[in-house]
PDB file of all heavy atoms in Angstrom:
ATOM      1  N   ALA A 776       0.804  -1.219   0.000  1.00 90.00           N
ATOM      2  CA  ALA A 776       0.000   0.000   0.000  1.00 90.00           C
ATOM      3  C   ALA A 776       0.838   1.270   0.000  1.00 90.00           C
ATOM      4  O   ALA A 776       0.284   2.364  -0.158  1.00 90.00           O
ATOM      5  CB  ALA A 776      -0.925   0.000   1.214  1.00 90.00           C
ATOM      6  N   ASP A 777       2.142   1.153   0.168  1.00 91.00           N
ATOM      7  CA  ASP A 777       2.993   2.344   0.263  1.00 91.00           C
ATOM      8  C   ASP A 777       3.003   3.103  -1.060  1.00 91.00           C
ATOM      9  O   ASP A 777       3.186   2.521  -2.133  1.00 91.00           O
ATOM     10  CB  ASP A 777       4.412   1.920   0.642  1.00 91.00           C
ATOM     11  CG  ASP A 777       5.313   3.110   0.915  1.00 91.00           C
ATOM     12  OD1 ASP A 777       4.787   4.176   1.281  1.00 91.00           O
ATOM     13  OD2 ASP A 777       6.544   2.967   0.779  1.00 91.00           O
ATOM     14  N   PHE A 778       2.848   4.416  -0.964  1.00 91.00           N
ATOM     15  CA  PHE A 778       2.856   5.266  -2.159  1.00 91.00           C
ATOM     16  C   PHE A 778       3.952   6.325  -2.106  1.00 91.00           C
ATOM     17  O   PHE A 778       4.600   6.611  -3.105  1.00 91.00           O
ATOM     18  CB  PHE A 778       1.488   5.947  -2.319  1.00 91.00           C
ATOM     19  CG  PHE A 778       1.433   6.929  -3.451  1.00 91.00           C
ATOM     20  CD1 PHE A 778       1.395   6.489  -4.764  1.00 91.00           C
ATOM     21  CD2 PHE A 778       1.406   8.291  -3.202  1.00 91.00           C
ATOM     22  CE1 PHE A 778       1.338   7.401  -5.813  1.00 91.00           C
ATOM     23  CE2 PHE A 778       1.348   9.204  -4.240  1.00 91.00           C
ATOM     24  CZ  PHE A 778       1.308   8.757  -5.551  1.00 91.00           C
ATOM     25  N   GLY A 779       4.180   6.903  -0.923  1.00 88.00           N
ATOM     26  CA  GLY A 779       5.119   8.016  -0.815  1.00 88.00           C
ATOM     27  C   GLY A 779       6.544   7.639  -1.147  1.00 88.00           C
ATOM     28  O   GLY A 779       7.222   8.317  -1.948  1.00 88.00           O
ATOM     29  N   ASN A 780       7.051   6.555  -0.564  1.00 90.00           N
ATOM     30  CA  ASN A 780       8.441   6.164  -0.805  1.00 90.00           C
ATOM     31  C   ASN A 780       8.693   5.745  -2.252  1.00 90.00           C
ATOM     32  O   ASN A 780       9.688   6.178  -2.855  1.00 90.00           O
ATOM     33  CB  ASN A 780       8.852   5.044   0.168  1.00 90.00           C
ATOM     34  CG  ASN A 780       8.915   5.530   1.596  1.00 90.00           C
ATOM     35  OD1 ASN A 780       9.451   6.600   1.876  1.00 90.00           O
ATOM     36  ND2 ASN A 780       8.372   4.753   2.519  1.00 90.00           N
ATOM     37  N   PRO A 781       7.830   4.919  -2.865  1.00 91.00           N
ATOM     38  CA  PRO A 781       8.042   4.614  -4.292  1.00 91.00           C
ATOM     39  C   PRO A 781       7.949   5.839  -5.188  1.00 91.00           C
ATOM     40  O   PRO A 781       8.632   5.922  -6.207  1.00 91.00           O
ATOM     41  CB  PRO A 781       6.931   3.604  -4.608  1.00 91.00           C
ATOM     42  CG  PRO A 781       6.590   2.988  -3.310  1.00 91.00           C
ATOM     43  CD  PRO A 781       6.764   4.068  -2.292  1.00 91.00           C
ATOM     44  N   LEU A 782       7.115   6.808  -4.812  1.00 89.00           N
ATOM     45  CA  LEU A 782       6.990   8.008  -5.622  1.00 89.00           C
ATOM     46  C   LEU A 782       8.287   8.813  -5.615  1.00 89.00           C
ATOM     47  O   LEU A 782       8.702   9.357  -6.639  1.00 89.00           O
ATOM     48  CB  LEU A 782       5.838   8.870  -5.100  1.00 89.00           C
ATOM     49  CG  LEU A 782       5.492  10.117  -5.916  1.00 89.00           C
ATOM     50  CD1 LEU A 782       4.946   9.711  -7.283  1.00 89.00           C
ATOM     51  CD2 LEU A 782       4.474  10.974  -5.180  1.00 89.00           C
ATOM     52  N   VAL A 783       8.959   8.849  -4.453  1.00 88.00           N
ATOM     53  CA  VAL A 783      10.194   9.617  -4.327  1.00 88.00           C
ATOM     54  C   VAL A 783      11.388   8.851  -4.888  1.00 88.00           C
ATOM     55  O   VAL A 783      12.258   9.430  -5.548  1.00 88.00           O
ATOM     56  CB  VAL A 783      10.440   9.987  -2.851  1.00 88.00           C
ATOM     57  CG1 VAL A 783      11.789  10.680  -2.668  1.00 88.00           C
ATOM     58  CG2 VAL A 783       9.323  10.886  -2.333  1.00 88.00           C
ATOM     59  N   LEU A 784      11.444   7.543  -4.656  1.00 87.00           N
ATOM     60  CA  LEU A 784      12.650   6.768  -4.956  1.00 87.00           C
ATOM     61  C   LEU A 784      12.473   5.767  -6.096  1.00 87.00           C
ATOM     62  O   LEU A 784      13.435   5.086  -6.445  1.00 87.00           O
ATOM     63  CB  LEU A 784      13.097   5.997  -3.700  1.00 87.00           C
ATOM     64  CG  LEU A 784      13.513   6.850  -2.504  1.00 87.00           C
ATOM     65  CD1 LEU A 784      13.705   5.966  -1.266  1.00 87.00           C
ATOM     66  CD2 LEU A 784      14.802   7.602  -2.808  1.00 87.00           C
ATOM     67  N   GLY A 785      11.295   5.664  -6.651  1.00 81.00           N
ATOM     68  CA  GLY A 785      11.031   4.601  -7.622  1.00 81.00           C
ATOM     69  C   GLY A 785      11.822   4.714  -8.907  1.00 81.00           C
ATOM     70  O   GLY A 785      12.204   3.712  -9.501  1.00 81.00           O
ATOM     71  N   GLY A 786      12.095   5.927  -9.367  1.00 73.00           N
ATOM     72  CA  GLY A 786      12.774   6.069 -10.645  1.00 73.00           C
ATOM     73  C   GLY A 786      11.936   5.456 -11.755  1.00 73.00           C
ATOM     74  O   GLY A 786      10.725   5.639 -11.841  1.00 73.00           O
ATOM     75  N   SER A 787      12.595   4.680 -12.606  1.00 70.00           N
ATOM     76  CA  SER A 787      11.882   4.026 -13.701  1.00 70.00           C
ATOM     77  C   SER A 787      11.265   2.703 -13.287  1.00 70.00           C
ATOM     78  O   SER A 787      10.531   2.099 -14.063  1.00 70.00           O
ATOM     79  CB  SER A 787      12.848   3.777 -14.871  1.00 70.00           C
ATOM     80  OG  SER A 787      13.931   2.952 -14.451  1.00 70.00           O
ATOM     81  N   GLY A 788      11.566   2.241 -12.078  1.00 71.00           N
ATOM     82  CA  GLY A 788      11.031   0.964 -11.604  1.00 71.00           C
ATOM     83  C   GLY A 788       9.869   1.179 -10.662  1.00 71.00           C
ATOM     84  O   GLY A 788      10.000   1.045  -9.442  1.00 71.00           O
ATOM     85  N   GLY A 789       8.712   1.517 -11.203  1.00 80.00           N
ATOM     86  CA  GLY A 789       7.551   1.807 -10.377  1.00 80.00           C
ATOM     87  C   GLY A 789       6.926   0.545  -9.806  1.00 80.00           C
ATOM     88  O   GLY A 789       7.224  -0.583 -10.210  1.00 80.00           O
ATOM     89  N   VAL A 790       6.042   0.753  -8.837  1.00 89.00           N
ATOM     90  CA  VAL A 790       5.275  -0.343  -8.243  1.00 89.00           C
ATOM     91  C   VAL A 790       3.799  -0.100  -8.544  1.00 89.00           C
ATOM     92  O   VAL A 790       3.427   0.877  -9.191  1.00 89.00           O
ATOM     93  CB  VAL A 790       5.538  -0.439  -6.727  1.00 89.00           C
ATOM     94  CG1 VAL A 790       6.991  -0.792  -6.454  1.00 89.00           C
ATOM     95  CG2 VAL A 790       5.184   0.869  -6.022  1.00 89.00           C
ATOM     96  N   LEU A 791       2.948  -0.981  -8.072  1.00 90.00           N
ATOM     97  CA  LEU A 791       1.535  -0.899  -8.431  1.00 90.00           C
ATOM     98  C   LEU A 791       0.909   0.430  -8.018  1.00 90.00           C
ATOM     99  O   LEU A 791       0.166   1.035  -8.790  1.00 90.00           O
ATOM    100  CB  LEU A 791       0.774  -2.064  -7.791  1.00 90.00           C
ATOM    101  CG  LEU A 791       0.871  -3.418  -8.499  1.00 90.00           C
ATOM    102  CD1 LEU A 791       0.235  -4.507  -7.661  1.00 90.00           C
ATOM    103  CD2 LEU A 791       0.207  -3.358  -9.869  1.00 90.00           C
ATOM    104  N   SER A 792       1.201   0.891  -6.820  1.00 91.00           N
ATOM    105  CA  SER A 792       0.564   2.116  -6.334  1.00 91.00           C
ATOM    106  C   SER A 792       0.931   3.313  -7.208  1.00 91.00           C
ATOM    107  O   SER A 792       0.058   4.127  -7.562  1.00 91.00           O
ATOM    108  CB  SER A 792       0.956   2.373  -4.885  1.00 91.00           C
ATOM    109  OG  SER A 792       2.373   2.480  -4.755  1.00 91.00           O
ATOM    110  N   THR A 793       2.194   3.444  -7.577  1.00 90.00           N
ATOM    111  CA  THR A 793       2.591   4.585  -8.408  1.00 90.00           C
ATOM    112  C   THR A 793       2.120   4.425  -9.846  1.00 90.00           C
ATOM    113  O   THR A 793       1.765   5.410 -10.503  1.00 90.00           O
ATOM    114  CB  THR A 793       4.119   4.758  -8.386  1.00 90.00           C
ATOM    115  OG1 THR A 793       4.753   3.533  -8.795  1.00 90.00           O
ATOM    116  CG2 THR A 793       4.606   5.125  -6.991  1.00 90.00           C
ATOM    117  N   GLU A 794       2.111   3.183 -10.353  1.00 89.00           N
ATOM    118  CA  GLU A 794       1.613   2.963 -11.710  1.00 89.00           C
ATOM    119  C   GLU A 794       0.137   3.299 -11.823  1.00 89.00           C
ATOM    120  O   GLU A 794      -0.316   3.842 -12.831  1.00 89.00           O
ATOM    121  CB  GLU A 794       1.861   1.508 -12.131  1.00 89.00           C
ATOM    122  CG  GLU A 794       3.330   1.163 -12.349  1.00 89.00           C
ATOM    123  CD  GLU A 794       3.936   1.910 -13.525  1.00 89.00           C
ATOM    124  OE1 GLU A 794       3.238   2.100 -14.537  1.00 89.00           O
ATOM    125  OE2 GLU A 794       5.110   2.309 -13.422  1.00 89.00           O
ATOM    126  N   ILE A 795      -0.629   2.985 -10.779  1.00 90.00           N
ATOM    127  CA  ILE A 795      -2.047   3.347 -10.772  1.00 90.00           C
ATOM    128  C   ILE A 795      -2.198   4.865 -10.803  1.00 90.00           C
ATOM    129  O   ILE A 795      -3.006   5.416 -11.555  1.00 90.00           O
ATOM    130  CB  ILE A 795      -2.736   2.751  -9.528  1.00 90.00           C
ATOM    131  CG1 ILE A 795      -2.767   1.221  -9.605  1.00 90.00           C
ATOM    132  CG2 ILE A 795      -4.148   3.305  -9.368  1.00 90.00           C
ATOM    133  CD1 ILE A 795      -3.146   0.550  -8.305  1.00 90.00           C
ATOM    134  N   PHE A 796      -1.403   5.537  -9.990  1.00 90.00           N
ATOM    135  CA  PHE A 796      -1.474   6.999  -9.904  1.00 90.00           C
ATOM    136  C   PHE A 796      -1.163   7.641 -11.255  1.00 90.00           C
ATOM    137  O   PHE A 796      -1.917   8.493 -11.747  1.00 90.00           O
ATOM    138  CB  PHE A 796      -0.502   7.477  -8.834  1.00 90.00           C
ATOM    139  CG  PHE A 796      -0.406   8.973  -8.711  1.00 90.00           C
ATOM    140  CD1 PHE A 796      -1.403   9.700  -8.098  1.00 90.00           C
ATOM    141  CD2 PHE A 796       0.695   9.639  -9.212  1.00 90.00           C
ATOM    142  CE1 PHE A 796      -1.311  11.082  -7.980  1.00 90.00           C
ATOM    143  CE2 PHE A 796       0.805  11.018  -9.097  1.00 90.00           C
ATOM    144  CZ  PHE A 796      -0.207  11.739  -8.481  1.00 90.00           C
ATOM    145  N   PHE A 797      -0.060   7.220 -11.885  1.00 88.00           N
ATOM    146  CA  PHE A 797       0.345   7.839 -13.144  1.00 88.00           C
ATOM    147  C   PHE A 797      -0.572   7.433 -14.296  1.00 88.00           C
ATOM    148  O   PHE A 797      -0.657   8.152 -15.302  1.00 88.00           O
ATOM    149  CB  PHE A 797       1.792   7.487 -13.465  1.00 88.00           C
ATOM    150  CG  PHE A 797       2.785   8.187 -12.584  1.00 88.00           C
ATOM    151  CD1 PHE A 797       3.685   7.462 -11.814  1.00 88.00           C
ATOM    152  CD2 PHE A 797       2.814   9.568 -12.504  1.00 88.00           C
ATOM    153  CE1 PHE A 797       4.596   8.102 -10.998  1.00 88.00           C
ATOM    154  CE2 PHE A 797       3.726  10.221 -11.691  1.00 88.00           C
ATOM    155  CZ  PHE A 797       4.616   9.489 -10.925  1.00 88.00           C
ATOM    156  N   SER A 798      -1.259   6.305 -14.173  1.00 87.00           N
ATOM    157  CA  SER A 798      -2.218   5.928 -15.213  1.00 87.00           C
ATOM    158  C   SER A 798      -3.425   6.851 -15.214  1.00 87.00           C
ATOM    159  O   SER A 798      -4.086   7.021 -16.247  1.00 87.00           O
ATOM    160  CB  SER A 798      -2.686   4.484 -15.001  1.00 87.00           C
ATOM    161  OG  SER A 798      -1.621   3.576 -15.200  1.00 87.00           O
ATOM    162  N   VAL A 799      -3.710   7.451 -14.067  1.00 88.00           N
ATOM    163  CA  VAL A 799      -4.876   8.326 -13.956  1.00 88.00           C
ATOM    164  C   VAL A 799      -4.508   9.778 -14.213  1.00 88.00           C
ATOM    165  O   VAL A 799      -5.186  10.495 -14.957  1.00 88.00           O
ATOM    166  CB  VAL A 799      -5.536   8.169 -12.572  1.00 88.00           C
ATOM    167  CG1 VAL A 799      -6.676   9.164 -12.410  1.00 88.00           C
ATOM    168  CG2 VAL A 799      -6.035   6.757 -12.380  1.00 88.00           C
ATOM    169  N   VAL A 800      -3.408  10.253 -13.578  1.00 85.00           N
ATOM    170  CA  VAL A 800      -3.102  11.688 -13.634  1.00 85.00           C
ATOM    171  C   VAL A 800      -1.969  12.015 -14.600  1.00 85.00           C
ATOM    172  O   VAL A 800      -1.725  13.180 -14.880  1.00 85.00           O
ATOM    173  CB  VAL A 800      -2.720  12.221 -12.229  1.00 85.00           C
ATOM    174  CG1 VAL A 800      -3.815  11.927 -11.235  1.00 85.00           C
ATOM    175  CG2 VAL A 800      -1.399  11.612 -11.747  1.00 85.00           C
ATOM    176  N   GLY A 801      -1.259  11.001 -15.096  1.00 69.00           N
ATOM    177  CA  GLY A 801      -0.131  11.266 -15.977  1.00 69.00           C
ATOM    178  C   GLY A 801      -0.555  11.454 -17.417  1.00 69.00           C
ATOM    179  O   GLY A 801      -1.740  11.588 -17.755  1.00 69.00           O
ATOM    180  N   ALA A 802       0.449  11.450 -18.282  1.00 72.00           N
ATOM    181  CA  ALA A 802       0.187  11.646 -19.709  1.00 72.00           C
ATOM    182  C   ALA A 802      -0.560  10.465 -20.330  1.00 72.00           C
ATOM    183  O   ALA A 802      -1.170  10.599 -21.397  1.00 72.00           O
ATOM    184  CB  ALA A 802       1.507  11.876 -20.443  1.00 72.00           C
ATOM    185  N   GLN A 803      -0.495   9.276 -19.666  1.00 74.00           N
ATOM    186  CA  GLN A 803      -1.155   8.095 -20.233  1.00 74.00           C
ATOM    187  C   GLN A 803      -2.669   8.269 -20.284  1.00 74.00           C
ATOM    188  O   GLN A 803      -3.317   7.924 -21.263  1.00 74.00           O
ATOM    189  CB  GLN A 803      -0.814   6.862 -19.398  1.00 74.00           C
ATOM    190  CG  GLN A 803       0.668   6.554 -19.312  1.00 74.00           C
ATOM    191  CD  GLN A 803       0.924   5.350 -18.422  1.00 74.00           C
ATOM    192  OE1 GLN A 803       0.249   4.326 -18.525  1.00 74.00           O
ATOM    193  NE2 GLN A 803       1.897   5.468 -17.541  1.00 74.00           N
ATOM    194  N   ASN A 804      -3.245   8.789 -19.192  1.00 82.00           N
ATOM    195  CA  ASN A 804      -4.695   8.993 -19.098  1.00 82.00           C
ATOM    196  C   ASN A 804      -5.440   7.721 -19.493  1.00 82.00           C
ATOM    197  O   ASN A 804      -6.249   7.703 -20.427  1.00 82.00           O
ATOM    198  CB  ASN A 804      -5.137  10.181 -19.958  1.00 82.00           C
ATOM    199  CG  ASN A 804      -6.575  10.582 -19.676  1.00 82.00           C
ATOM    200  OD1 ASN A 804      -7.102  10.282 -18.606  1.00 82.00           O
ATOM    201  ND2 ASN A 804      -7.206  11.262 -20.622  1.00 82.00           N
ATOM    202  N   ASP A 805      -5.147   6.645 -18.786  1.00 85.00           N
ATOM    203  CA  ASP A 805      -5.698   5.332 -19.116  1.00 85.00           C
ATOM    204  C   ASP A 805      -6.417   4.764 -17.888  1.00 85.00           C
ATOM    205  O   ASP A 805      -5.858   3.964 -17.134  1.00 85.00           O
ATOM    206  CB  ASP A 805      -4.562   4.400 -19.553  1.00 85.00           C
ATOM    207  CG  ASP A 805      -5.080   3.108 -20.159  1.00 85.00           C
ATOM    208  OD1 ASP A 805      -6.295   2.860 -20.066  1.00 85.00           O
ATOM    209  OD2 ASP A 805      -4.272   2.347 -20.698  1.00 85.00           O
ATOM    210  N   PRO A 806      -7.649   5.175 -17.646  1.00 88.00           N
ATOM    211  CA  PRO A 806      -8.379   4.679 -16.460  1.00 88.00           C
ATOM    212  C   PRO A 806      -8.567   3.165 -16.468  1.00 88.00           C
ATOM    213  O   PRO A 806      -8.621   2.552 -15.397  1.00 88.00           O
ATOM    214  CB  PRO A 806      -9.724   5.408 -16.550  1.00 88.00           C
ATOM    215  CG  PRO A 806      -9.472   6.592 -17.425  1.00 88.00           C
ATOM    216  CD  PRO A 806      -8.434   6.146 -18.411  1.00 88.00           C
ATOM    217  N   SER A 807      -8.666   2.563 -17.639  1.00 90.00           N
ATOM    218  CA  SER A 807      -8.851   1.108 -17.697  1.00 90.00           C
ATOM    219  C   SER A 807      -7.632   0.383 -17.138  1.00 90.00           C
ATOM    220  O   SER A 807      -7.758  -0.581 -16.367  1.00 90.00           O
ATOM    221  CB  SER A 807      -9.105   0.676 -19.136  1.00 90.00           C
ATOM    222  OG  SER A 807     -10.276   1.274 -19.630  1.00 90.00           O
TER     223      SER A 807
END
């Protein structure tokens, strides 16, 4: 469930929580 630490330190190796976030608010804009 952690989001803050992966967001700061994830780099190009994201985890599920950050990938979900960027799928919604990032350039991808892919809610599905």
Side-chain angles (χ1 to χ4, degrees):
D777 187 25
F778 175 74
N780 292 315
L782 185 66
V783 175
L784 297 171
S787 59
V790 296
L791 280 172
S792 58
T793 55
E794 291 294 323
I795 293 167
F796 176 76
F797 288 122
S798 294
V799 175
V800 304
Q803 301 178 46
N804 191 22
D805 191 350
S807 299

